[in-house]
Amino acid sequence: MVIKTENELLAAFNTAYNTRIADLHASLGIAPGYAQRSGLPLQFEPDELVDAGKDMFDRDQKLTAPALAAWLAMQRSAAQQGVTLLLVSAYRSVDYQTQLIRKKLDSGRTLEDVMQFNAAPGFSEHHTGRAIDIACPDAEPLQQIFENTNAFKWLSANAGGFGFVMTYPRDHRHAISYEPWHWCFNLDQ
Ligand SMILES: [Zn+2]
């Protein structure tokens, strides 16, 4: 038996993952070369996730342990200052992202339209278990109007202190449109 080095194992894993992502893209009709076109980095699912409780729609959510701790601390700190932060969505698997896009295509939307709002499978930060979509009680979730809320103002001033960064600001270079509700915990990398 040949013992492989860590680098060889990593290369084999990356090749298998790239092939899987390419197959999923083909199944959705996404042309090869999405990474180059979108400017988005390939994202990986974590080895371990922990239960992050229910989101605002009563669905079970998961995050990595460090991201969950940071999210809870940030939510608590905001609450102490009278700002309510609600969790909309956290970890999403590559398979879930594929189903989500397929459902939208099946409902008659064009691929071009859907891809403005959803990263292709393998390229969503939600795969990492470190990204969260945040809402507040006074604005409809996942709408750009979130940027006018006190919650957004609070996040803009304070989220960085908890390790959260807004990944898709206005006029960024990625293919995804402006998402003031999407924040990623970046301290545990
Ligand atoms: Zn998001």
Side-chain angles (χ1 to χ4, degrees), residues 126 133 179 181-182:
H126 288 278
D133 294 333
E179 292 194 352
W181 59 84
H182 177 105

Side-chain angles (χ1 to χ4, degrees), residues 22-96:
D23 287 348
L24 289 173
H25 286 198
S27 78
L28 292 169
I30 300 168
Y34 177 84
Q36 289 77 6
R37 280 199 307 282
S38 68
L40 295 172
L42 190 62
Q43 305 284 357
F44 297 87
E45 296 172 344
D47 293 332
E48 272 185 66
L49 289 159
V50 295
D51 191 354
K54 302 275 189 190
D55 65 25
M56 61 183 290
F57 302 112
D58 214 30
R59 302 171 301 191
D60 289 318
Q61 292 293 340
K62 288 180 186 305
L63 285 168
T64 64
L68 175 61
W71 157 242
L72 292 178
M74 183 164 77
Q75 191 181 38
R76 204 176 313 123
S77 176
Q80 282 164 0
Q81 293 166 53
V83 175
T84 303
L85 301 180
L86 303 171
L87 183 64
V88 184
S89 175
Y91 167 73
R92 296 204 291 265
S93 69
V94 170
D95 287 337
Y96 182 89

